[in-house]
Amino acid sequence: MEKGFYAFGTMNYIRIDSVMPAKAQKLLLQNMQKKCEELDDLLSAFKSESDIGKINANAGKAKVAVDAVTFRLLKYAISYAETSNGAFDPTIRPAVELWKIGKKEERIPEKRECQEIKKLVNYKEIRLDAANQSVFLEQPGQALDLGGIAKGYAGDVIRNELIDNDVTSGIMNFGGTILTIGKKTDGTDWKIGIQNPLQERGAFIGSVILNQDALVTSGVNERFFVKNGIRYHHLIDPYTCEPACTGVLSVTAAGDCAMGLDAITTALFILGAERGIRFARDR
Ligand code: ADP
Ligand code: MG
C-alpha cells in the first residue's frame, strides 16, 4: 500500500507491505502522514507558529521555550556544524533568504550583500538552555533553517514507527531522502536509482543496492534558477553566503541514520570533492 503527501516543502511517499489487514495499513499510513505534518509544523522556517519560526522572530530579543523534539534536533544540528567545521550551518537562513532560491523573486545579490549577511551566519551564536529547554539567537536578524536535516530526522522517526508496527518491507522517499525496511516482497534487495542532477526526474546516473537502511542525496537539482547560463542552487556555502561552487553537482551517502546522512551530504556538497572526501574519511 502506498501514500503520497506534501510536507517539508516537497512530496513524500511511503510504501509498505505487511501482513496487516488493508484497513490497518491504511490507518498506519494516515498516522505517519499526520506525524510528518506535526514535525513540519514544529520545524518549518516558513511557518511563523513553528518553534523555528518563533525562535527566528525573537532573534536578538528573547529566548523561546521549545518542544523536546526541536531542542534535540538543534543539538544534533549544532554537532554536525561542529564536525563539519561550519560547512553545515543551521543558521544559514538569512543567506537562503537573500537569494530567494525557489521563490518567484529569486535574484543574484551583490557580493557586498553576501558579505554583510555572512555576519549573521554562525552556529556558535545559537544559545541552548537545557534547564528550560529554550533557544536564543544572539543577533537580531539571525535565523535558523533545518531544511538540510529535518527530512532525514523525519525519515528515521517514521521508519522506526513502521518497524514498531510490524512492517517488514517498505520504502520511503522524502524528497530524495530514501529509507528502506527489510527487502522487497519478492525477497530481493532494494535497488535505488541515483538521479542525474542535470537531467529530468527519473534519469539516473547509476543505482545502488541498499544493504543499509538509508540513502540520501544532496544535489543542484532540487531547487535552483538559471541566469546567464549559470545555475544558482539552494546549497549555500556559509563562508561566502553564495551557492557552493566546487564543481560537485550531487552527493549521495548510504548508512543507517538518515538524519546524519542528510546533514553530512549537505556538508560534503559544500566542501567539494577533495575536502569532502578527506572529511568523510576522517570521521
Ligand atoms: P534537499 O532539501 O534538496 O533534499 P538538502 O538536504 O541538502 O537538500 O538541504 C538543502 C536545504 O538546506 C536548503 O534548502 C537550505 O534550507 C538548507 N541549507 C542550504 N545550505 C546549507 C548549509 N550550508 N548548511 C545547512 N543547511 C543548508
Ligand atoms: Mg541535507
Side-chain angles (χ1 to χ4, degrees):
M1 192 175 287
E2 188 171 325
K3 193 168 187 67
F5 56 92
Y6 189 83
F8 315 115
T10 186
M11 273 308 286
N12 306 276
Y13 300 92
I14 306 176
R15 193 171 97 208
I16 55 172
D17 283 295
S18 161
V19 290
M20 279 190 294
K23 219 171 155 184
Q25 289 192 43
K26 199 171 164 202
L27 189 64
L28 181 59
L29 288 178
Q30 271 169 6
N31 286 338
M32 295 306 103
Q33 173 177 352
K34 206 166 138 234
K35 191 128 209 161
C36 286
E37 289 165 352
E38 281 167 11
L39 284 173
D40 199 17
D41 286 344
L42 215 51
L43 303 172
S44 171
F46 298 98
K47 297 181 176 172
S48 57
E49 285 310 304
S50 73
D51 276 354
I52 300 303
K54 286 184 205 154
I55 295 166
N56 293 349
N58 285 289
K61 289 188 246 166
K63 55 183 177 183
V64 175
V66 296
D67 190 276
V69 166
T70 311
F71 197 80
R72 191 165 357 112
L73 191 53
L74 271 172
K75 273 212 266 194
Y76 282 124
I78 292 169
S79 79
Y80 293 120
E82 283 164 352
T83 48
S84 69
N85 269 325
F88 176 87
D89 191 323
T91 63
I92 198 72
R93 176 123 194 101
V96 174
E97 269 284 291
L98 181 66
W99 287 80
K100 301 209 182 302
I101 290 162
K103 289 198 180 159
K104 279 201 282 310
E105 323 86 75
E106 58 201 18
R107 57 189 282 266
I108 304 170
E110 309 264 333
K111 276 245 181 309
R112 176 181 49 78
E113 291 176 85
C114 297
Q115 284 309 313
E116 203 51 38
I117 279 290
K118 185 172 147 52
K119 295 176 189 158
L120 298 173
V121 177
N122 185 357
Y123 67 91
K124 292 177 184 156
E125 295 180 350
I126 306 171
R127 293 267 169 266
L128 296 184
D129 186 347
N132 46 24
Q133 217 166 262
S134 69
V135 186
F136 176 62
L137 299 174
E138 288 186 2
Q139 300 183 54
Q142 283 188 313
L144 297 172
D145 178 345
L146 296 179
I149 189 172
K151 277 184 292 164
Y153 177 79
D156 289 332
V157 168
I158 298 302
R159 178 191 50 195
N160 291 342
E161 289 256 347
L162 292 176
I163 291 171
D164 285 349
N165 282 278
D166 300 323
V167 171
T168 48
S169 169
I171 185 161
M172 287 161 263
N173 185 348
F174 288 6
T177 294
I178 297 180
L179 294 97
T180 60
I181 296 171
K183 291 182 188 282
K184 286 162 63 173
T185 40
D186 63 7
T188 59
D189 289 323
W190 293 104
K191 192 173 167 196
I192 315 287
I194 296 180
Q195 174 67 36
N196 181 323
L198 299 180
Q199 285 179 15
E200 74 282 6
R201 215 168 267 274
F204 299 133
I205 48 170
S207 60
V208 281
I209 304 273
L210 206 57
N211 286 318
Q212 291 163 299
D213 296 325
L215 191 78
V216 178
T217 300
S218 279
V220 297
N221 49 304
E222 283 300 333
R223 286 200 179 95
F224 65 90
F225 66 91
V226 178
K227 259 198 183 122
N228 304 327
I230 299 174
R231 179 188 283 246
Y232 298 94
H233 56 78
H234 72 323
L235 295 159
I236 309 283
D237 185 341
Y239 303 104
T240 59
C241 286
E242 295 175 38
C245 184
T246 64
V248 170
L249 297 176
S250 175
V251 177
T252 300
D256 50 18
C257 167
M259 173 188 66
L261 295 171
D262 201 355
I264 291 304
T265 53
T266 303
L268 290 174
F269 188 98
I270 306 294
L271 291 169
E274 203 183 305
R275 283 191 301 159
I277 288 171
R278 217 179 313 133
F279 166 69
R281 281 212 183 106
D282 291 348
R283 272 171 52 82

